[in-house]
Amino acid sequence: MHYTEKLKNVSVLGAAGKMGSGILLLTAQELLHQKLQHENKNRKFVLNAIDVSHDALDGLLKYTRAQAQKYAEKKIVEIRKMYADHKNLNENADFIQQYTEDVVDIIKPTTRIEAAYDSYLILEAVSENPELKNKLFKQIKNNNTNNPWFFTNTSSIPIHEIDSNADLKGSIMGVHFYNPPAVQKLVELIKADQTLPELTEFATQYVKNLKKIIVPSADVAGFIGNGHYMRDTKYGIDLATELHSEIPLPQAIATVDSITRDYLVRPMGIFQLADYVGIDVVQYIMKVMYERGIDDNLQSDLLDKLVNSGIKGGQNSDGSQKDGFFRYEKGRPVAVIDPENMQYTDLTTLSSKIDTYLGQKPEGAVKWKTLLKANDKEAQLRNWFNTLKNDSSKGSKLAMEYLQKSKDFALQLVKDGVAANEEDVNTVLMTGFFHAYGPANDFMN
């Protein structure tokens, strides 16, 4: 079936969620782009936004409208070209309004799963729950006579398992967007052994049309991104636990977070990133990988204790950060948790203790934000890590050990065949996690 034929009727499951809303927006824009092609002027394109909440769907339309307008304002030259044959449009404002309305008009919000029974393509972005995914896929497959193809946004569950459990016979592909999909450039593409070749070709074209960076991953639980991130996080947890033999656990957690952020030049410390992703999400993905024999070290009593106590991190509906390893004010961590009593300790009372414990930080430190625009980023990083390598402070020593472990995790993914090469691992971490450099590097040399 031709590319545009599969896009005639599309459904997004979990459309009002954090991931689903971005995937819906991108797909609506792609459908509109196809609709505006001269050869498709008489075609109708429908995008069903399926979710369980009417209120959430109302919010979804507001979000879509606002984002479409922002896109049109930013890409006005491109938008004017798209509508070149619309003689009734003159001013930029006319083009922006037309584009915005056209994107929203394609979307049909509904709480009824039956809307997907007429679709040719199903994009699934529900919670990371294999039973729910399998149930939805089976229901649609058994009631849809169009032989639909399925995209799943799972970040950890092997595609072949979903394929087998839902009896999809190769009509499913892992299309793993990163959060937030409208902003993040990375998409991991994962095909199972049974995945139809024509589906792989279609998925590749779809993602390229969204102007995303594609990295293929083998169909192994966690794929490339979480294959590295979960191991990296578990190492941070283990390190904090080890340091607890010398310092209080809240201080140990804040210390490791500082090392990964300030010494390793990352956008967030490892524990703040866990809060952003969701502690319960991290716990679940580790469980998925552990239960499938990917890594027998991916169990954490600390994560279990926090989640069982209701400390889960993640974001509120307005996008603000929920408390997790840290308590947040205006998006900034201000206190760190003591898992022994679930009370928070102000970071201001710990900062001098952390500095003393880590020792004098060497001069010449580089900051993540300034590195992103630096023309000599590689040179700055090489100088900084060379300085740490030759420094005797505890902070430098711990940072270089962490850097080495991060590299080991990257090389293991290549050795295990999850990633085709080291560059793919680096691309995922730099693009999907916004790291300033890839973990497969020679900074230790």
PDB file of all heavy atoms in Angstrom, residues 415-432:
ATOM      1  N   LYS A 415      28.753  -4.721  21.999  1.00  0.00           N
ATOM      2  CA  LYS A 415      29.182  -6.122  22.082  1.00  0.00           C
ATOM      3  C   LYS A 415      27.988  -7.073  22.045  1.00  0.00           C
ATOM      4  O   LYS A 415      28.038  -8.133  21.403  1.00  0.00           O
ATOM      5  CB  LYS A 415      29.985  -6.346  23.366  1.00  0.00           C
ATOM      6  CG  LYS A 415      30.490  -7.765  23.539  1.00  0.00           C
ATOM      7  CD  LYS A 415      31.275  -7.915  24.843  1.00  0.00           C
ATOM      8  CE  LYS A 415      31.749  -9.352  25.023  1.00  0.00           C
ATOM      9  NZ  LYS A 415      32.482  -9.509  26.322  1.00  0.00           N
ATOM     10  N   ASP A 416      26.910  -6.690  22.712  1.00  0.00           N
ATOM     11  CA  ASP A 416      25.708  -7.532  22.774  1.00  0.00           C
ATOM     12  C   ASP A 416      24.845  -7.423  21.525  1.00  0.00           C
ATOM     13  O   ASP A 416      23.837  -8.122  21.400  1.00  0.00           O
ATOM     14  CB  ASP A 416      24.858  -7.164  23.994  1.00  0.00           C
ATOM     15  CG  ASP A 416      25.547  -7.518  25.308  1.00  0.00           C
ATOM     16  OD1 ASP A 416      26.501  -8.307  25.285  1.00  0.00           O
ATOM     17  OD2 ASP A 416      25.110  -6.984  26.357  1.00  0.00           O
ATOM     18  N   GLY A 417      25.220  -6.521  20.605  1.00  0.00           N
ATOM     19  CA  GLY A 417      24.476  -6.375  19.366  1.00  0.00           C
ATOM     20  C   GLY A 417      23.215  -5.546  19.495  1.00  0.00           C
ATOM     21  O   GLY A 417      22.406  -5.498  18.569  1.00  0.00           O
ATOM     22  N   VAL A 418      23.018  -4.886  20.638  1.00  0.00           N
ATOM     23  CA  VAL A 418      21.847  -4.017  20.802  1.00  0.00           C
ATOM     24  C   VAL A 418      22.008  -2.791  19.914  1.00  0.00           C
ATOM     25  O   VAL A 418      21.065  -2.353  19.254  1.00  0.00           O
ATOM     26  CB  VAL A 418      21.672  -3.602  22.277  1.00  0.00           C
ATOM     27  CG1 VAL A 418      20.428  -2.734  22.439  1.00  0.00           C
ATOM     28  CG2 VAL A 418      21.581  -4.833  23.172  1.00  0.00           C
ATOM     29  N   ALA A 419      23.210  -2.228  19.908  1.00  0.00           N
ATOM     30  CA  ALA A 419      23.553  -1.120  19.013  1.00  0.00           C
ATOM     31  C   ALA A 419      24.504  -1.625  17.937  1.00  0.00           C
ATOM     32  O   ALA A 419      25.352  -2.482  18.204  1.00  0.00           O
ATOM     33  CB  ALA A 419      24.201   0.026  19.789  1.00  0.00           C
ATOM     34  N   ALA A 420      24.359  -1.070  16.749  1.00  0.00           N
ATOM     35  CA  ALA A 420      25.204  -1.513  15.636  1.00  0.00           C
ATOM     36  C   ALA A 420      26.646  -1.072  15.823  1.00  0.00           C
ATOM     37  O   ALA A 420      27.572  -1.765  15.400  1.00  0.00           O
ATOM     38  CB  ALA A 420      24.656  -0.980  14.316  1.00  0.00           C
ATOM     39  N   ASN A 421      26.851   0.060  16.465  1.00  0.00           N
ATOM     40  CA  ASN A 421      28.199   0.595  16.635  1.00  0.00           C
ATOM     41  C   ASN A 421      28.208   1.621  17.756  1.00  0.00           C
ATOM     42  O   ASN A 421      27.155   2.008  18.285  1.00  0.00           O
ATOM     43  CB  ASN A 421      28.696   1.226  15.326  1.00  0.00           C
ATOM     44  CG  ASN A 421      27.683   2.183  14.735  1.00  0.00           C
ATOM     45  OD1 ASN A 421      27.293   3.156  15.372  1.00  0.00           O
ATOM     46  ND2 ASN A 421      27.233   1.903  13.520  1.00  0.00           N
ATOM     47  N   GLU A 422      29.402   2.071  18.127  1.00  0.00           N
ATOM     48  CA  GLU A 422      29.546   3.031  19.210  1.00  0.00           C
ATOM     49  C   GLU A 422      28.890   4.364  18.882  1.00  0.00           C
ATOM     50  O   GLU A 422      28.327   5.029  19.751  1.00  0.00           O
ATOM     51  CB  GLU A 422      31.038   3.250  19.503  1.00  0.00           C
ATOM     52  CG  GLU A 422      31.748   2.017  20.040  1.00  0.00           C
ATOM     53  CD  GLU A 422      33.231   2.236  20.223  1.00  0.00           C
ATOM     54  OE1 GLU A 422      33.671   3.418  20.168  1.00  0.00           O
ATOM     55  OE2 GLU A 422      33.961   1.250  20.418  1.00  0.00           O
ATOM     56  N   GLU A 423      28.938   4.757  17.609  1.00  0.00           N
ATOM     57  CA  GLU A 423      28.369   6.039  17.208  1.00  0.00           C
ATOM     58  C   GLU A 423      26.867   6.073  17.447  1.00  0.00           C
ATOM     59  O   GLU A 423      26.312   7.119  17.816  1.00  0.00           O
ATOM     60  CB  GLU A 423      28.677   6.321  15.736  1.00  0.00           C
ATOM     61  CG  GLU A 423      28.338   7.739  15.293  1.00  0.00           C
ATOM     62  CD  GLU A 423      29.023   8.809  16.125  1.00  0.00           C
ATOM     63  OE1 GLU A 423      30.190   8.618  16.511  1.00  0.00           O
ATOM     64  OE2 GLU A 423      28.357   9.828  16.417  1.00  0.00           O
ATOM     65  N   ASP A 424      26.190   4.951  17.253  1.00  0.00           N
ATOM     66  CA  ASP A 424      24.752   4.915  17.509  1.00  0.00           C
ATOM     67  C   ASP A 424      24.446   5.136  18.992  1.00  0.00           C
ATOM     68  O   ASP A 424      23.488   5.836  19.347  1.00  0.00           O
ATOM     69  CB  ASP A 424      24.159   3.579  17.053  1.00  0.00           C
ATOM     70  CG  ASP A 424      23.891   3.548  15.555  1.00  0.00           C
ATOM     71  OD1 ASP A 424      24.070   4.586  14.890  1.00  0.00           O
ATOM     72  OD2 ASP A 424      23.509   2.474  15.044  1.00  0.00           O
ATOM     73  N   VAL A 425      25.255   4.539  19.860  1.00  0.00           N
ATOM     74  CA  VAL A 425      25.064   4.770  21.298  1.00  0.00           C
ATOM     75  C   VAL A 425      25.285   6.241  21.620  1.00  0.00           C
ATOM     76  O   VAL A 425      24.507   6.865  22.350  1.00  0.00           O
ATOM     77  CB  VAL A 425      26.011   3.895  22.132  1.00  0.00           C
ATOM     78  CG1 VAL A 425      25.733   4.097  23.621  1.00  0.00           C
ATOM     79  CG2 VAL A 425      25.868   2.427  21.763  1.00  0.00           C
ATOM     80  N   ASN A 426      26.357   6.814  21.081  1.00  0.00           N
ATOM     81  CA  ASN A 426      26.637   8.230  21.329  1.00  0.00           C
ATOM     82  C   ASN A 426      25.510   9.123  20.821  1.00  0.00           C
ATOM     83  O   ASN A 426      25.117  10.088  21.482  1.00  0.00           O
ATOM     84  CB  ASN A 426      27.954   8.629  20.662  1.00  0.00           C
ATOM     85  CG  ASN A 426      29.167   8.073  21.387  1.00  0.00           C
ATOM     86  OD1 ASN A 426      29.060   7.636  22.534  1.00  0.00           O
ATOM     87  ND2 ASN A 426      30.301   8.087  20.739  1.00  0.00           N
ATOM     88  N   THR A 427      24.978   8.808  19.649  1.00  0.00           N
ATOM     89  CA  THR A 427      23.882   9.607  19.092  1.00  0.00           C
ATOM     90  C   THR A 427      22.664   9.578  20.003  1.00  0.00           C
ATOM     91  O   THR A 427      22.016  10.605  20.245  1.00  0.00           O
ATOM     92  CB  THR A 427      23.496   9.098  17.694  1.00  0.00           C
ATOM     93  OG1 THR A 427      24.610   9.236  16.824  1.00  0.00           O
ATOM     94  CG2 THR A 427      22.322   9.888  17.124  1.00  0.00           C
ATOM     95  N   VAL A 428      22.332   8.403  20.524  1.00  0.00           N
ATOM     96  CA  VAL A 428      21.175   8.283  21.420  1.00  0.00           C
ATOM     97  C   VAL A 428      21.368   9.113  22.681  1.00  0.00           C
ATOM     98  O   VAL A 428      20.465   9.841  23.110  1.00  0.00           O
ATOM     99  CB  VAL A 428      20.918   6.807  21.777  1.00  0.00           C
ATOM    100  CG1 VAL A 428      19.889   6.695  22.909  1.00  0.00           C
ATOM    101  CG2 VAL A 428      20.428   6.043  20.561  1.00  0.00           C
ATOM    102  N   LEU A 429      22.537   9.031  23.288  1.00  0.00           N
ATOM    103  CA  LEU A 429      22.767   9.770  24.532  1.00  0.00           C
ATOM    104  C   LEU A 429      22.872  11.265  24.297  1.00  0.00           C
ATOM    105  O   LEU A 429      22.402  12.070  25.107  1.00  0.00           O
ATOM    106  CB  LEU A 429      24.027   9.249  25.235  1.00  0.00           C
ATOM    107  CG  LEU A 429      23.831   8.099  26.226  1.00  0.00           C
ATOM    108  CD1 LEU A 429      23.022   8.564  27.431  1.00  0.00           C
ATOM    109  CD2 LEU A 429      23.166   6.892  25.598  1.00  0.00           C
ATOM    110  N   MET A 430      23.471  11.660  23.186  1.00  0.00           N
ATOM    111  CA  MET A 430      23.624  13.087  22.906  1.00  0.00           C
ATOM    112  C   MET A 430      22.313  13.714  22.418  1.00  0.00           C
ATOM    113  O   MET A 430      22.022  14.868  22.734  1.00  0.00           O
ATOM    114  CB  MET A 430      24.731  13.294  21.873  1.00  0.00           C
ATOM    115  CG  MET A 430      26.117  12.929  22.388  1.00  0.00           C
ATOM    116  SD  MET A 430      27.394  12.986  21.111  1.00  0.00           S
ATOM    117  CE  MET A 430      27.477  14.753  20.800  1.00  0.00           C
ATOM    118  N   THR A 431      21.541  12.954  21.667  1.00  0.00           N
ATOM    119  CA  THR A 431      20.299  13.490  21.104  1.00  0.00           C
ATOM    120  C   THR A 431      19.114  13.249  22.026  1.00  0.00           C
ATOM    121  O   THR A 431      18.337  14.159  22.308  1.00  0.00           O
ATOM    122  CB  THR A 431      20.011  12.853  19.737  1.00  0.00           C
ATOM    123  OG1 THR A 431      21.176  12.937  18.919  1.00  0.00           O
ATOM    124  CG2 THR A 431      18.871  13.571  19.037  1.00  0.00           C
ATOM    125  N   GLY A 432      18.985  12.016  22.524  1.00  0.00           N
ATOM    126  CA  GLY A 432      17.837  11.687  23.356  1.00  0.00           C
ATOM    127  C   GLY A 432      17.949  12.141  24.789  1.00  0.00           C
ATOM    128  O   GLY A 432      16.941  12.408  25.447  1.00  0.00           O
TER     129      GLY A 432
END
